[in-house]
Amino acid sequence: MSGQSLLVPGELSPTRSVPGNIRRPEYVGKPAPTPYTGPEVQTPETIEAMRVAGRIAAQAMAEAAKLIAPGMTTDELDKVAHEYMCDHGAYPSTLGYRGFPKSLCTSVNEVICHGIPDSTVLRDGDIINLDVTAYIGGVHGDNNATYLVGDVDEESRLLVERTRESLNRAIKAVRPGRQINVIGRVIESYAKRFGYGVVRDFTGHGINSSFHSGLIIPHYDSPHATTVMQPGMTFTIEPMLTLGTHEYDMWDDGWTVVTKDRRRTAQFEHTLVVTDTGAEILTLP
């Protein structure tokens, strides 16, 4: 296990601007989004629009990831992803979502999710998750991945590698006619092989014209996740695995979620559409 000191909040830079000609999601400037009441199965037109949003989100994440290195700040990564999305006509979905102040999430080491980019400087041996969502054409595309910073210890490297594999296995389990809980069953059974914790209180979600539609995708074997997958359903799978407990604490900022035992955690995510035979990944660069 790395001997890195625990993360502390840094300083926030001013809110980044978005060109006025870029369409905003309806929740911008409001305390919360309007609840989604539409279908979970999307039209071919909506799915095609989500391919566009997903590609932009994936490429924005890839562009920011190129800068990951010791000495880089998480705010600088936010700047790169923000500018990429705006340059391609997309709005950064997290910016202004329930008051979130930045254009992506940067979750370092013990941060499970929703870390806020700030003046925090990446150190050799850190791991960092970038979570990027783009809104364009009236729909969202959402993805994330965990990256190594410099020379990372073997325990952390394996955690990252195996978390990526848990997502891959979950995607292969998607089939029309199966219940949603097969996704969590696959992830949890794989994670248990290595003694990893599986975060339960933060999940995948339905996504379309709504950032979070209300459909819940647990990453553990939940008896309540009995919704049957149908062709055209769109949602994210985003397993969060930990070296220790799945329990968490939240910082005073109301966003940053850290493991209760402060051990490391990794996450990977794609936005998917259920097809007649399986799943298509919509967040590919």
Side-chain angles (χ1 to χ4, degrees):
M1 173 78 184
S2 169
Q4 298 279 45
S5 58
L6 297 178
L7 203 67
V8 296
E11 296 295 321
L12 286 180
S13 65
T15 302
R16 304 191 197 283
S17 62
V18 177
N21 64 319
I22 292 178
R23 179 179 172 183
R24 272 74 169 152
E26 59 84 23
Y27 52 74
V28 174
K30 296 164 54 178
T34 302
Y36 179 72
T37 57
E40 298 296 348
V41 173
Q42 304 305 309
T43 65
E45 293 75 19
T46 296
I47 293 166
E48 179 53 36
M50 290 180 68
R51 288 190 185 99
V52 174
R55 279 196 296 269
I56 292 173
Q59 194 58 45
M61 184 173 73
E63 290 299 311
K66 290 177 182 178
L67 274 69
I68 291 174
M72 182 63 58
T73 68
T74 56
D75 187 66
E76 289 172 288
L77 303 178
D78 180 80
K79 180 175 185 287
V80 170
H82 177 93
E83 291 180 350
Y84 186 92
M85 285 184 272
C86 291
D87 287 348
H88 289 79
Y91 186 91
S93 300
T94 61
L95 185 62
Y97 179 79
R98 297 183 181 271
F100 192 84
K102 292 296 175 180
S103 298
L104 79 162
C105 300
T106 49
S107 300
V108 179
N109 295 344
E110 70 270 18
V111 180
I112 294 171
C113 57
H114 304 159
I116 300 174
D118 58 18
S119 61
T120 296
V121 177
L122 296 178
R123 303 160 299 181
D124 187 59
D126 283 342
I127 61 174
I128 179 173
N129 178 274
L130 303 184
D131 193 339
V132 182
T133 311
Y135 177 79
I136 187 172
V139 298
H140 301 268
D142 184 4
N143 69 162
N144 76 55
T146 302
Y147 299 88
L148 309 181
V149 184
D151 185 16
V152 175
D153 67 274
E154 181 74 356
E155 185 179 43
S156 299
R157 188 189 64 76
L158 286 172
L159 173 69
V160 171
E161 180 182 301
R162 289 164 177 167
T163 305
R164 181 192 293 112
E165 175 63 15
S166 77
L167 172 59
N168 292 339
R169 289 175 180 234
I171 291 170
K172 290 175 182 175
V174 172
R175 291 283 188 284
R178 290 181 175 176
Q179 292 183 346
I180 289 291
N181 55 19
V182 70
I183 294 169
R185 189 175 309 133
V186 166
I187 292 167
E188 186 174 39
S189 63
Y190 180 70
K192 280 183 173 178
R193 288 168 50 182
F194 310 105
Y196 295 155
V198 180
V199 173
R200 301 168 76 91
D201 292 331
F202 300 89
T203 68
H205 52 89
I207 184 170
N208 39 65
S209 60
S210 172
F211 195 171
H212 300 88
S213 73
L215 177 67
I216 301 298
I217 312 295
H219 302 121
Y220 63 99
D221 188 2
S222 169
H224 306 295
T226 56
T227 300
V228 174
M229 291 182 267
Q230 303 174 57
M233 286 179 70
T234 49
F235 52 81
T236 72
I237 304 176
E238 44 189 298
M240 292 152 262
L241 305 187
T242 69
L243 289 175
T245 182
H246 68 268
E247 296 180 346
Y248 67 93
D249 294 319
M250 186 174 288
W251 282 5
D252 291 341
D253 60 23
W255 284 104
T256 306
V257 179
V258 296
T259 54
K260 187 170 281 292
D261 59 9
R262 303 302 190 265
R263 298 194 71 193
R264 289 187 169 188
T265 175
Q267 180 184 18
F268 284 84
E269 173 187 24
H270 276 304
T271 295
L272 312 167
V273 59
V274 181
T275 68
D276 290 335
T277 57
E280 176 192 347
I281 299 171
L282 299 177
T283 38
L284 293 175

